[in-house]
Amino acid sequence: GFLPLQGHVVRNWKVRWFVLLQDKLLYYKIEGGKKEPSPKGRILLDGCTITCPCLEYENRPLLIKLKTKTNTDYFLECCSREERDSWALDITGAIHAGHPVQVQELHRMKNSFKLLENISLHNIVERMYDSSTGIKLTRNLDQGNRYKETFTGSSLVDWLISNSFAVSRFEAVTLASMLMDENFLRPVGVRSTEATRSSDPSEKFLDDSTALYMFAESSKKNTSSKEEVHFNISEFSGTIVKQGFLVKQGHKRKNWKVRKFVLRADPAFLHYYDPTKEDNKPVGGFSLRGCLVSALEDNGVPAGVKGNVQGNLFKIITKNDIHYYIQASSKAERVQWIEAVKPLT
């Protein structure tokens, strides 16, 4: 699948197509919507160590870090917590092939930490920002440092329970950990920052009156008018139905770029992001109300499509008659996206 990879010489991010084999992880360059025949590089897994979750980059909370036997670091970014954990599990299985006990333990850890049913993290954050009913922000002192607009771990746990997002303190801590893991919140001060280094997901967030947290920069609402606030809420407050990397044809230059797509319901919107950028702002998106979505034939190049693409195409036509041409990585993935989009049109 597609994953952004940080370069070794120039420390920028490029999206590559990754293929996991028994002893190595190959990655390929995509040109014009088609995978090049020879790999751009390879990561040898023998003697490799994996760090997941990796919190070395504040704006990229869904990283996997691989350190090879020769001490070369590779940073791979996923588009969701579920995808990250799935990749990490499979890569770890390849690294520890022949050690089934370790792999079983990883499966157990993965299945013990899941998002509660019918909970939208975006909705929780919107409620937290509410000036009258949201989390109360205060100034706090920690180890001689003053922090503005912070809240304690225990106050967030109390708030989550009182607003019926969790029924117990354990559930609230789990939910708070996920908000932090998805880069909505960040720790400040010594105690909360130290806790993020714990290998146990349930201990990364502290239900404590001396552990300080604040909203992450990427989730702050830098808006200039009430109309813009309403626009943001209407598009981004919906429940995420599906997300993943797809290849999209540009409107002007007709070139093909890998984009991270996020599909939301209630209200129904499809947004796409440039995964090589540091910010978390969409580069485009549209309402799905009144759209038409359909698969395109794999024989030949369909009308409106440029370049030597490798099939698995589908098209979305908006109610304003704007045509979006999108390429999935497989026929099965194309079917999954079409079936997810159709009910929301």
Side-chain angles (χ1 to χ4, degrees):
F2 289 114
L3 295 172
L5 169 71
Q6 188 184 60
H8 292 300
V9 182
V10 181
R11 308 296 282 182
N12 57 352
W13 294 83
K14 298 287 186 184
V15 180
R16 298 290 183 244
W17 177 259
F18 280 81
V19 177
L20 177 62
L21 303 179
Q22 189 173 3
D23 59 344
K24 64 178 74 74
L25 189 59
L26 305 178
Y27 53 94
Y28 297 79
K29 191 175 180 182
I30 302 293
E31 278 296 335
K34 193 170 186 178
K35 176 173 73 75
E36 292 190 342
S38 300
K40 180 80 174 175
R42 67 193 68 216
I43 304 172
L44 299 178
L45 298 178
D46 179 40
C48 203
T49 58
I50 182 169
T51 303
C52 178
C54 172
L55 304 175
E56 292 192 24
Y57 290 87
E58 184 178 314
N59 292 332
R60 295 180 180 270
L62 297 174
L63 288 179
I64 296 171
K65 178 182 177 181
L66 296 175
K67 182 183 282 291
T68 67
K69 192 162 58 174
T70 57
N71 287 326
T72 302
D73 291 339
Y74 292 88
F75 293 93
L76 319 177
E77 185 178 31
C78 300
C79 68
S80 68
R81 158 187 278 274
E82 292 76 19
E83 185 191 51
R84 181 197 64 190
D85 292 348
S86 178
W87 268 104
L89 197 69
D90 290 340
I91 292 171
T92 305
I95 293 172
H96 296 298
H99 300 279
V101 174
Q102 290 182 345
V103 176
Q104 286 175 6
E105 178 64 15
L106 284 161
H107 276 286
R108 188 195 65 76
M109 287 179 62
K110 177 187 176 185
N111 294 329
S112 67
F113 192 58
K114 292 183 177 179
L115 181 62
L116 306 175
E117 291 295 326
N118 302 318
I119 291 287
S120 165
L121 297 182
H122 291 270
N123 181 40
I124 293 173
V125 174
E126 290 290 349
R127 291 276 297 277
M128 287 176 68
Y129 272 110
D130 190 286
S131 57
S132 57
T133 61
I135 189 85
K136 301 304 179 188
L137 303 179
T138 59
R139 295 188 180 192
N140 282 285
L141 186 67
D142 183 86
Q143 303 263 329
N145 295 315
R146 294 184 182 276
Y147 298 100
K148 297 179 180 179
E149 297 187 329
T150 60
F151 47 87
T152 66
S154 57
S155 67
L156 177 56
V157 169
D158 292 340
W159 185 89
L160 289 169
I161 294 172
S162 65
N163 284 272
S164 302
F165 288 115
V167 297
S168 68
R169 300 194 79 81
F170 175 78
E171 285 187 4
V173 168
T174 302
L175 202 49
S177 298
M178 300 182 84
L179 287 168
M180 190 167 61
D181 214 18
E182 298 293 341
N183 206 33
F184 289 112
L185 311 178
R186 68 182 180 89
V188 289
V190 176
R191 285 213 67 205
S192 55
T193 303
E194 282 292 325
T196 62
R197 299 189 176 94
S198 171
S199 59
D200 187 344
S202 65
E203 296 177 1
K204 290 183 182 299
F205 183 90
L206 298 178
D207 178 7
D208 193 292
S209 61
T210 62
L212 301 181
Y213 300 88
M214 68 189 303
F215 290 113
E217 289 295 322
S218 60
S219 64
K220 289 189 176 179
K221 304 295 181 185
N222 298 315
T223 53
S224 58
S225 69
K226 289 184 178 179
E227 183 180 356
E228 190 176 354
V229 170
H230 177 74
F231 175 79
N232 283 336
I233 292 174
S234 69
E235 289 203 19
F236 300 108
S237 63
T239 302
I240 294 179
V241 177
K242 188 174 177 60
Q243 55 187 325
F245 295 113
L246 298 167
V247 191
K248 174 187 166 293
Q249 181 176 268
H251 290 304
K252 295 179 181 178
R253 298 164 74 180
K254 305 298 181 186
N255 54 349
W256 292 84
K257 299 280 189 179
V258 177
R259 295 289 181 246
K260 174 186 173 180
F261 279 79
V262 178
L263 176 64
R264 294 181 174 90
D266 300 323
F269 276 85
L270 184 63
H271 295 97
Y272 49 94
Y273 301 72
D274 184 346
T276 66
K277 301 298 183 185
E278 289 296 329
D279 60 31
N280 195 32
K281 298 176 182 177
V283 293
F286 51 91
S287 169
L288 290 172
R289 194 68 63 198
C291 286
L292 297 173
V293 57
S294 60
L296 298 178
E297 292 293 333
D298 288 335
N299 298 325
V301 180
V305 174
K306 304 291 183 183
N308 185 22
V309 295
Q310 57 189 21
N312 306 316
L313 293 165
F314 63 100
K315 177 170 68 172
I316 300 177
I317 305 175
T318 69
K319 64 181 180 181
N320 298 324
D321 200 36
I322 299 174
H323 293 225
Y324 290 87
Y325 296 96
I326 303 168
Q327 180 178 253
S329 61
S330 66
K331 285 184 172 62
E333 187 183 47
R334 175 173 64 180
V335 169
Q336 289 169 8
W337 273 98
I338 291 174
E339 289 181 348
V341 169
K342 265 186 180 177
L344 302 179
T345 60

